[in-house]
Amino acid sequence: MTRTAKIATWIFVGVAGTLVVLTLVAAAGSRTGPLRRLVVATLAERLNSDVELQAFSADLFPSVVVRGSGLALRLRNQPQTSPPLIEIRGFTVHAGLIDLIRRPRRFRHVALDGLVVNIPPGGLRRAGKPADETSARPAESTLPPLGESPIVVDELVADGATLRIIPRREGKDPKEFSIHRLTMRSLGHGQQMPFTATLTNPIPKGLIETSGTFGPWQREDPGSTPLGGNYSFKNADLGTIDGIGGTLHSTGEFSGTLQRIAVKGRTETPDFHVELTKQPVALATSFDAIVDGTDGDTYLTRVDAQFLKTSLTAKGAVVGLKGVKGRLVQLNVQIHEGRVEDLLRLSVKGDRPVLVGNIKLTTDFTLPPGERDVIQKLELAGRFDIGSAEFTDPKVQEKLSGLSARARGLDADQAASNVTTRLEGAFKMKNAAVAFSNLVFGMPGANVQLHGSYGVASEALYFDGTVRMQATISQAAGGGVKGWLLKAVDPIFRKKGAGAVIPIRIRGTADSPQFGVDVGRVFKK
């Protein structure tokens, strides 16, 4: 074939191709109805849903523009009282002319207005299947096999969307996330779909930026749809949680399925504080968790936290309760190497802690949902051991040094200036009051056993107990006439293995404690 013939042939093919396209365009002008039915049938088949579409139009020249409004997709056999899986106020679809006649049909860009995604709870994982599958089997599909999706979307953009997680438990309010911008690419059946999203987390309130992959969509069980990616949680306001404050920053990765998302992350809160004390500390954590994306329940497999000179580990769960707004937090917390002054900074008012020293602690931590302050509703139950403790008030420390010397039968001028003490015991906190049992306060020469309570907000003290000394009452009083006269009462206080056992009581407040002998118990048989 000559060069001229080749050129003529290509011209003919080009003209013929153009005529074919023009013919398709002319024919397509009256095919809005079939195209609408194709869209509805495809969505129904691929998502196993009943589809509602209020309005639909298609312009196919000079490029394809499809518009629609009032789109709703509801899982088949899902109760009508429950919200649809997907609600879209309006949408616009763009494609090229050739894209409509290719297999699969490809749309270049989809814009969604008023998108609402209602993630069904785990209890609806079979909502797409009738109760009697054999008696209600759908008719044979006329669409291509699932591996041959008739529609692929290059890019989908939704601004101002809402992600709503429907709780598994009845009576609970859904958890809503405002999605400022969502972009997904390569949407089609049987494949992973890359996405980016910017959304607002409700509590604690802050901005989340996330990217990753979603899918393939599991039409029979939406909760098992896989996803993975990473996130950045910026400027989260902890003040939206009653009783605490600070600005949290977090980054991490996630993977799994909607109903079981494994999350590994880190947080930084440079100004974490409890509203009662308003004393900020820098708090850093790393964590591993499992999140049920169908109802928002979170199971913390491990949390490592560091603030000031104290490290702690925790594990537990953050779950919803039937008919109750908010979530229940249950943790087991352990401190193997910590400082008591760090804990007091968070829980007790005042710039200077009353006590410093090493602390070991284990406690069950329960924070019920509700509108009350964190301190008012927080519940604790555990044990602690404080070693090498010293009181920061010089006057208190001086009195303890003197007491230690007298308890050993020494003169006051023999008192050591750096006497350290040890505290250990069990505690329970409820309604902003801490109840102590088997509280032991030890120092050289003396051992104090107490039980009672401390008001976190009021700082009120109410304790009863005993002081067990090496020395007798007369020896503790020192020499001279006073010591000689007190020899008469030594038998009253002497107990086996101790020089004296004295019943005491402590009242007042942390700033102004009042110590006294419980005379009533002295002579009680």
Side-chain angles (χ1 to χ4, degrees):
M1 182 180 292
T2 65
R3 186 171 184 271
T4 302
K6 289 182 179 179
I7 294 174
T9 301
W10 282 114
I11 292 174
F12 174 78
V13 171
V15 172
T18 302
L19 290 175
V20 171
V21 171
L22 292 176
T23 302
L24 288 173
V25 171
S30 61
R31 292 181 57 83
T32 298
L35 184 57
R36 180 185 187 279
R37 288 193 293 272
L38 174 64
V39 171
V40 171
T42 301
L43 292 172
E45 175 74 10
R46 299 302 183 247
L47 298 179
N48 195 31
S49 302
D50 296 323
V51 180
E52 299 176 8
L53 181 57
Q54 294 179 1
F56 183 87
S57 64
D59 297 326
L60 303 179
F61 187 81
S63 62
V64 179
V65 180
V66 179
R67 296 181 178 86
S69 62
L71 177 62
L73 294 85
R74 185 185 301 276
L75 294 177
R76 289 186 180 133
N77 297 285
Q78 183 180 344
Q80 290 297 316
T81 55
S82 59
L85 174 69
I86 297 175
E87 301 172 83
I88 301 174
R89 184 167 54 243
F91 63 87
T92 304
V93 181
H94 295 269
L97 291 171
I98 303 300
D99 295 330
L100 276 185
I101 61 175
R102 289 176 174 174
R103 300 290 290 180
R105 294 176 176 86
R106 181 173 299 276
F107 291 96
R108 299 173 182 173
H109 182 81
V110 175
L112 305 181
D113 176 44
L115 169 66
V116 178
V117 179
N118 297 296
I119 299 298
L124 291 180
R125 63 171 54 190
R126 295 183 61 86
K129 296 182 179 181
D132 184 357
E133 297 182 24
T134 58
S135 63
R137 184 172 299 167
E140 187 75 18
S141 174
T142 59
L143 295 174
L146 291 179
E148 302 176 20
S149 175
I151 292 179
V152 173
V153 177
D154 289 339
E155 182 184 61
L156 179 146
V157 176
D159 294 332
T162 299
L163 173 62
R164 183 180 295 133
I165 298 176
I166 309 300
R168 182 180 287 113
R169 301 173 185 85
E170 295 182 2
K172 284 181 56 181
D173 292 334
K175 189 172 184 178
E176 292 192 357
F177 297 83
S178 297
I179 303 175
H180 307 293
R181 186 172 182 83
L182 169 66
T183 301
M184 301 186 72
R185 293 181 172 83
S186 302
L187 278 75
H189 183 83
Q191 63 189 55
Q192 289 185 334
M193 296 166 279
F195 73 89
T196 61
T198 303
L199 60 151
T200 296
N201 188 71
I203 298 178
K205 190 172 183 179
L207 192 68
I208 297 177
E209 294 180 347
T210 179
S211 62
T213 60
F214 180 82
W217 176 258
Q218 304 299 305
R219 64 173 189 164
E220 302 294 342
D221 182 5
S224 66
T225 300
L227 77 166
N230 55 71
Y231 74 90
S232 173
F233 192 14
K234 299 179 180 179
N235 300 318
D237 182 10
L238 295 183
T240 54
I241 302 174
D242 291 337
I244 64 174
T247 302
L248 177 144
H249 308 273
S250 178
T251 58
E253 306 82 37
F254 57 91
S255 62
T257 64
L258 276 175
Q259 62 195 13
R260 185 178 173 82
I261 307 170
V263 183
K264 182 185 292 289
R266 299 151 295 281
T267 73
E268 298 283 345
T269 309
D271 55 349
F272 177 81
H273 62 273
V274 177
E275 284 299 318
L276 177 67
T277 59
K278 296 186 183 302
Q279 299 191 86
V281 300
L283 173 65
T285 72
S286 61
F287 64 89
D288 293 303
I290 301 296
V291 179
D292 187 337
T294 65
D295 62 11
D297 287 350
T298 301
Y299 303 90
L300 299 165
T301 55
R302 183 176 179 87
V303 177
D304 294 299
Q306 174 77 41
F307 64 98
L308 300 177
K309 297 180 180 180
T310 295
S311 301
L312 64 85
T313 62
K315 60 181 179 180
V318 182
V319 299
L321 300 176
K322 183 177 180 179
V324 179
K325 184 178 181 180
R327 296 188 177 273
L328 170 67
V329 181
Q330 290 183 312
L331 303 172
N332 177 263
V333 180
Q334 295 188 19
I335 298 176
H336 298 292
E337 295 183 6
R339 299 291 300 178
V340 65
E341 61 266 31
D342 297 346
L343 298 180
L344 292 174
R345 181 178 178 87
L346 288 175
S347 58
V348 179
K349 297 176 182 178
D351 295 332
R352 186 176 64 176
V354 297
L355 190 69
V356 297
N358 301 319
I359 185 171
K360 295 181 180 180
L361 177 144
T362 179
T363 183
D364 290 327
F365 175 107
T366 302
L367 186 64
E371 301 298 330
R372 293 185 300 162
D373 236 20
V374 167
I375 292 297
Q376 293 295 327
K377 61 185 181 180
L378 176 62
E379 298 178 13
L380 301 173
R383 292 192 60 84
F384 68 91
D385 186 341
I386 303 174
S388 302
E390 294 185 24
F391 288 88
T392 57
D393 188 331
K395 294 181 179 179
V396 174
Q397 193 65 30
E398 182 180 351
K399 289 181 180 180
L400 286 177
S401 297
L403 176 60
S404 175
R406 291 193 299 273
R408 289 176 288 167
L410 303 176
D411 293 335
D413 57 1
Q414 294 178 290
S417 60
N418 60 341
V419 169
T420 60
T421 59
R422 179 179 179 180
L423 288 86
E424 60 178 313
F427 63 92
K428 289 185 178 180
M429 176 177 174
K430 192 172 184 178
N431 298 323
V434 186
F436 292 92
S437 59
N438 300 319
L439 181 61
V440 178
F441 179 78
M443 70 186 78
N447 196 62
V448 182
Q449 292 182 314
L450 295 170
H451 63 272
S453 63
Y454 169 73
V456 177
S458 64
E459 298 186 325
L461 301 171
Y462 193 97
F463 288 94
D464 295 302
T466 57
V467 177
R468 189 181 184 91
M469 299 190 304
Q470 292 179 3
T472 63
I473 293 293
S474 60
Q475 291 171 337
V481 177
K482 183 178 180 181
W484 183 80
L485 292 175
L486 287 175
K487 286 183 179 289
V489 300
D490 280 348
I492 299 175
F493 293 97
R494 184 180 290 118
K495 301 292 181 181
K496 184 178 180 180
V501 177
I502 308 169
I504 63 170
R505 64 182 182 182
I506 304 174
R507 303 292 189 267
T509 65
D511 288 337
S512 181
Q514 299 172 11
F515 301 88
V517 176
D518 191 340
V519 179
R521 285 195 292 142
V522 171
F523 299 101
K524 186 176 181 180
K525 186 176 179 179

